[in-house]
Amino acid sequence: VQLQASGGGLVQAGGSLRLSCAASARTFSNYAMGWFRQAPGKEREFVAAISWSGGRTSYADSVKGRFTISKDSAENTMYLQMNSLKPEDTAVYFCAAKPVSITIPVITDAKGYDYWGQGTLVTVSS
């Protein structure tokens, strides 16, 4: 599976961006997916995750209420809508995917994913 993340850019604090993660998989609907981010000098951290069906989601406390993860199986694409952005949201954002059975809801641990995109840079200015 190949993942292509896009949508990053420079935005002022309080602004919005929507990240996209396009997947090459023909069975996209069988994949649990997630977003992670890595700021300069820091470790990669969990941002949001979505179940294979799209019916369950999970968010890091730092983005809860501001970010929304979604999945469009018809388009083989996952999204991360980011609102009310803060300078501390500045990071390279990575998307990840793992083929799963329907019994696995969401995966919040980076070690649980098999496939990763190349990352897209989000810079939030104050």
Side-chain angles (χ1 to χ4, degrees), residues 18-21 28 33-35 48-51 53-57 59 67-73 76-81:
R18 189 177 79 159
L19 305 184
S20 300
C21 177
F28 181 76
M33 302 189 73
W35 288 98
I50 190 166
S51 63
S53 67
R56 295 189 182 187
T57 58
Y59 297 92
F67 291 9
T68 302
I69 189 172
S70 61
K71 191 183 182 194
D72 186 336
S73 295
N76 278 13
T77 303
M78 174 180 66
Y79 301 99
L80 184 68
Q81 177 66 44

Short mmCIF file of all heavy atoms in Angstrom, two decimals, residues 18-21 28 33-35 48-51 53-57 59 67-73 76-81:
data_model
loop_
_atom_site.label_atom_id
_atom_site.label_comp_id
_atom_site.label_asym_id
_atom_site.label_seq_id
_atom_site.Cartn_x
_atom_site.Cartn_y
_atom_site.Cartn_z
N ARG A 18 -6.79 21.46 5.72
CA ARG A 18 -7.27 20.09 5.60
C ARG A 18 -6.20 19.25 4.94
O ARG A 18 -5.80 19.51 3.80
CB ARG A 18 -8.56 20.01 4.78
CG ARG A 18 -9.18 18.61 4.84
CD ARG A 18 -10.48 18.50 4.11
NE ARG A 18 -10.32 18.39 2.67
CZ ARG A 18 -11.23 17.89 1.85
NH1 ARG A 18 -12.37 17.44 2.34
NH2 ARG A 18 -11.02 17.86 0.57
N LEU A 19 -5.74 18.26 5.67
CA LEU A 19 -4.77 17.32 5.14
C LEU A 19 -5.50 16.15 4.49
O LEU A 19 -6.57 15.74 4.93
CB LEU A 19 -3.86 16.79 6.25
CG LEU A 19 -3.12 17.84 7.08
CD1 LEU A 19 -2.19 17.13 8.08
CD2 LEU A 19 -2.35 18.80 6.21
N SER A 20 -4.88 15.62 3.44
CA SER A 20 -5.42 14.45 2.75
C SER A 20 -4.37 13.35 2.73
O SER A 20 -3.17 13.63 2.68
CB SER A 20 -5.81 14.79 1.31
OG SER A 20 -6.79 15.79 1.26
N CYS A 21 -4.82 12.12 2.74
CA CYS A 21 -3.94 10.97 2.63
C CYS A 21 -4.58 10.02 1.62
O CYS A 21 -5.57 9.36 1.93
CB CYS A 21 -3.75 10.29 3.98
SG CYS A 21 -2.72 8.80 3.92
N PHE A 28 -9.31 -0.36 0.47
CA PHE A 28 -9.12 0.73 1.42
C PHE A 28 -10.04 0.63 2.61
O PHE A 28 -9.68 0.97 3.72
CB PHE A 28 -9.34 2.06 0.68
CG PHE A 28 -9.15 3.27 1.54
CD1 PHE A 28 -7.89 3.70 1.87
CD2 PHE A 28 -10.25 4.00 1.98
CE1 PHE A 28 -7.70 4.83 2.64
CE2 PHE A 28 -10.07 5.12 2.75
CZ PHE A 28 -8.80 5.55 3.07
N MET A 33 -6.73 3.58 10.03
CA MET A 33 -5.78 4.61 9.63
C MET A 33 -5.61 5.65 10.73
O MET A 33 -6.43 5.76 11.64
CB MET A 33 -6.26 5.29 8.35
CG MET A 33 -6.44 4.33 7.19
SD MET A 33 -6.74 5.13 5.63
CE MET A 33 -5.11 5.79 5.28
N GLY A 34 -4.52 6.38 10.62
CA GLY A 34 -4.25 7.38 11.63
C GLY A 34 -3.34 8.49 11.14
O GLY A 34 -2.73 8.38 10.06
N TRP A 35 -3.31 9.55 11.91
CA TRP A 35 -2.39 10.67 11.68
C TRP A 35 -1.46 10.81 12.88
O TRP A 35 -1.91 10.72 14.03
CB TRP A 35 -3.17 11.98 11.50
CG TRP A 35 -3.91 12.09 10.21
CD1 TRP A 35 -5.23 11.84 9.99
CD2 TRP A 35 -3.38 12.50 8.94
NE1 TRP A 35 -5.56 12.07 8.68
CE2 TRP A 35 -4.43 12.48 8.01
CE3 TRP A 35 -2.11 12.91 8.50
CZ2 TRP A 35 -4.26 12.84 6.66
CZ3 TRP A 35 -1.94 13.25 7.18
CH2 TRP A 35 -3.00 13.22 6.27
N ALA A 48 -4.59 11.51 15.61
CA ALA A 48 -5.96 11.03 15.47
C ALA A 48 -5.96 9.69 14.75
O ALA A 48 -5.03 9.39 13.99
CB ALA A 48 -6.81 12.03 14.69
N ALA A 49 -6.99 8.90 15.01
CA ALA A 49 -7.12 7.60 14.36
C ALA A 49 -8.57 7.33 14.04
O ALA A 49 -9.48 7.86 14.69
CB ALA A 49 -6.57 6.50 15.26
N ILE A 50 -8.78 6.49 13.02
CA ILE A 50 -10.13 6.14 12.59
C ILE A 50 -10.19 4.66 12.30
O ILE A 50 -9.23 4.07 11.80
CB ILE A 50 -10.53 6.99 11.36
CG1 ILE A 50 -12.01 6.85 11.04
CG2 ILE A 50 -9.66 6.66 10.15
CD1 ILE A 50 -12.53 7.91 10.07
N SER A 51 -11.32 4.04 12.62
CA SER A 51 -11.48 2.61 12.41
C SER A 51 -11.67 2.30 10.94
O SER A 51 -11.92 3.18 10.12
CB SER A 51 -12.68 2.10 13.21
OG SER A 51 -13.87 2.73 12.74
N SER A 53 -14.15 1.06 9.45
CA SER A 53 -15.49 1.44 8.98
C SER A 53 -15.69 2.95 8.97
O SER A 53 -16.63 3.45 8.36
CB SER A 53 -16.55 0.79 9.86
OG SER A 53 -16.48 1.36 11.16
N GLY A 54 -14.81 3.65 9.69
CA GLY A 54 -15.00 5.09 9.83
C GLY A 54 -15.93 5.45 10.97
O GLY A 54 -16.15 6.62 11.27
N GLY A 55 -16.46 4.43 11.63
CA GLY A 55 -17.44 4.68 12.67
C GLY A 55 -16.86 5.05 14.02
O GLY A 55 -17.58 5.55 14.89
N ARG A 56 -15.60 4.77 14.23
CA ARG A 56 -14.95 5.09 15.51
C ARG A 56 -13.72 5.93 15.26
O ARG A 56 -12.98 5.70 14.32
CB ARG A 56 -14.58 3.82 16.25
CG ARG A 56 -15.77 2.99 16.70
CD ARG A 56 -15.34 1.87 17.61
NE ARG A 56 -16.46 1.02 18.01
CZ ARG A 56 -16.37 0.06 18.91
NH1 ARG A 56 -15.21 -0.19 19.50
NH2 ARG A 56 -17.42 -0.67 19.21
N THR A 57 -13.52 6.90 16.14
CA THR A 57 -12.37 7.78 16.03
C THR A 57 -11.76 7.98 17.41
O THR A 57 -12.41 7.75 18.43
CB THR A 57 -12.76 9.15 15.45
OG1 THR A 57 -13.76 9.74 16.28
CG2 THR A 57 -13.28 9.02 14.02
N TYR A 59 -8.77 10.79 19.38
CA TYR A 59 -7.96 11.99 19.21
C TYR A 59 -7.03 12.18 20.41
O TYR A 59 -7.37 11.84 21.54
CB TYR A 59 -8.85 13.23 19.10
CG TYR A 59 -9.76 13.23 17.90
CD1 TYR A 59 -11.04 12.72 17.97
CD2 TYR A 59 -9.32 13.75 16.69
CE1 TYR A 59 -11.87 12.71 16.86
CE2 TYR A 59 -10.14 13.75 15.57
CZ TYR A 59 -11.42 13.23 15.66
OH TYR A 59 -12.22 13.23 14.55
N PHE A 67 -9.60 19.23 15.74
CA PHE A 67 -9.30 18.42 14.57
C PHE A 67 -10.39 17.38 14.38
O PHE A 67 -10.97 16.87 15.35
CB PHE A 67 -7.97 17.69 14.73
CG PHE A 67 -6.74 18.58 14.72
CD1 PHE A 67 -6.84 19.96 14.74
CD2 PHE A 67 -5.48 18.00 14.66
CE1 PHE A 67 -5.71 20.76 14.71
CE2 PHE A 67 -4.34 18.78 14.63
CZ PHE A 67 -4.46 20.17 14.67
N THR A 68 -10.65 17.03 13.12
CA THR A 68 -11.61 15.99 12.79
C THR A 68 -11.01 15.07 11.73
O THR A 68 -10.60 15.52 10.66
CB THR A 68 -12.92 16.58 12.25
OG1 THR A 68 -13.47 17.48 13.22
CG2 THR A 68 -13.93 15.48 11.96
N ILE A 69 -11.00 13.78 12.04
CA ILE A 69 -10.50 12.78 11.10
C ILE A 69 -11.69 12.13 10.40
O ILE A 69 -12.75 11.92 11.01
CB ILE A 69 -9.64 11.72 11.83
CG1 ILE A 69 -8.95 10.79 10.82
CG2 ILE A 69 -10.47 10.93 12.83
CD1 ILE A 69 -7.92 9.86 11.47
N SER A 70 -11.54 11.86 9.12
CA SER A 70 -12.60 11.21 8.37
C SER A 70 -11.99 10.36 7.26
O SER A 70 -10.80 10.47 6.95
CB SER A 70 -13.57 12.24 7.78
OG SER A 70 -12.89 13.10 6.88
N LYS A 71 -12.85 9.53 6.68
CA LYS A 71 -12.37 8.57 5.69
C LYS A 71 -13.41 8.44 4.59
O LYS A 71 -14.59 8.26 4.88
CB LYS A 71 -12.16 7.23 6.41
CG LYS A 71 -11.45 6.15 5.68
CD LYS A 71 -11.43 4.89 6.56
CE LYS A 71 -10.67 3.77 5.89
NZ LYS A 71 -10.92 2.47 6.54
N ASP A 72 -12.98 8.53 3.35
CA ASP A 72 -13.87 8.37 2.21
C ASP A 72 -13.40 7.15 1.43
O ASP A 72 -12.46 7.23 0.64
CB ASP A 72 -13.83 9.63 1.33
CG ASP A 72 -14.84 9.58 0.20
OD1 ASP A 72 -15.25 8.46 -0.20
OD2 ASP A 72 -15.22 10.65 -0.29
N SER A 73 -14.06 6.03 1.66
CA SER A 73 -13.62 4.79 1.02
C SER A 73 -13.82 4.83 -0.50
O SER A 73 -13.06 4.20 -1.23
CB SER A 73 -14.38 3.61 1.62
OG SER A 73 -14.03 3.44 2.98
N ASN A 76 -10.80 6.47 -1.65
CA ASN A 76 -9.55 5.92 -1.09
C ASN A 76 -8.72 7.00 -0.40
O ASN A 76 -7.49 7.05 -0.55
CB ASN A 76 -8.71 5.25 -2.17
CG ASN A 76 -9.17 3.84 -2.47
OD1 ASN A 76 -10.25 3.44 -2.06
ND2 ASN A 76 -8.37 3.08 -3.18
N THR A 77 -9.38 7.86 0.34
CA THR A 77 -8.69 8.99 0.93
C THR A 77 -9.13 9.21 2.38
O THR A 77 -10.32 9.06 2.69
CB THR A 77 -8.96 10.28 0.12
OG1 THR A 77 -8.55 10.07 -1.23
CG2 THR A 77 -8.20 11.46 0.71
N MET A 78 -8.16 9.54 3.21
CA MET A 78 -8.43 9.92 4.59
C MET A 78 -8.13 11.40 4.73
O MET A 78 -7.25 11.92 4.04
CB MET A 78 -7.54 9.11 5.54
CG MET A 78 -7.64 9.54 6.99
SD MET A 78 -6.58 8.58 8.09
CE MET A 78 -4.96 9.04 7.53
N TYR A 79 -8.87 12.06 5.60
CA TYR A 79 -8.69 13.50 5.78
C TYR A 79 -8.44 13.85 7.24
O TYR A 79 -8.83 13.12 8.15
CB TYR A 79 -9.94 14.25 5.31
CG TYR A 79 -10.28 14.02 3.87
CD1 TYR A 79 -11.26 13.09 3.51
CD2 TYR A 79 -9.64 14.71 2.86
CE1 TYR A 79 -11.58 12.87 2.19
CE2 TYR A 79 -9.95 14.49 1.52
CZ TYR A 79 -10.92 13.57 1.20
OH TYR A 79 -11.23 13.35 -0.12
N LEU A 80 -7.81 14.98 7.46
CA LEU A 80 -7.69 15.56 8.79
C LEU A 80 -8.02 17.05 8.66
O LEU A 80 -7.22 17.81 8.11
CB LEU A 80 -6.29 15.37 9.37
CG LEU A 80 -6.13 15.87 10.80
CD1 LEU A 80 -6.94 14.96 11.76
CD2 LEU A 80 -4.66 15.87 11.23
N GLN A 81 -9.20 17.41 9.11
CA GLN A 81 -9.60 18.81 9.12
C GLN A 81 -9.07 19.43 10.40
O GLN A 81 -9.40 18.98 11.50
CB GLN A 81 -11.12 18.94 9.06
CG GLN A 81 -11.62 20.37 9.13
CD GLN A 81 -11.21 21.18 7.92
OE1 GLN A 81 -11.30 20.71 6.79
NE2 GLN A 81 -10.79 22.41 8.15
#
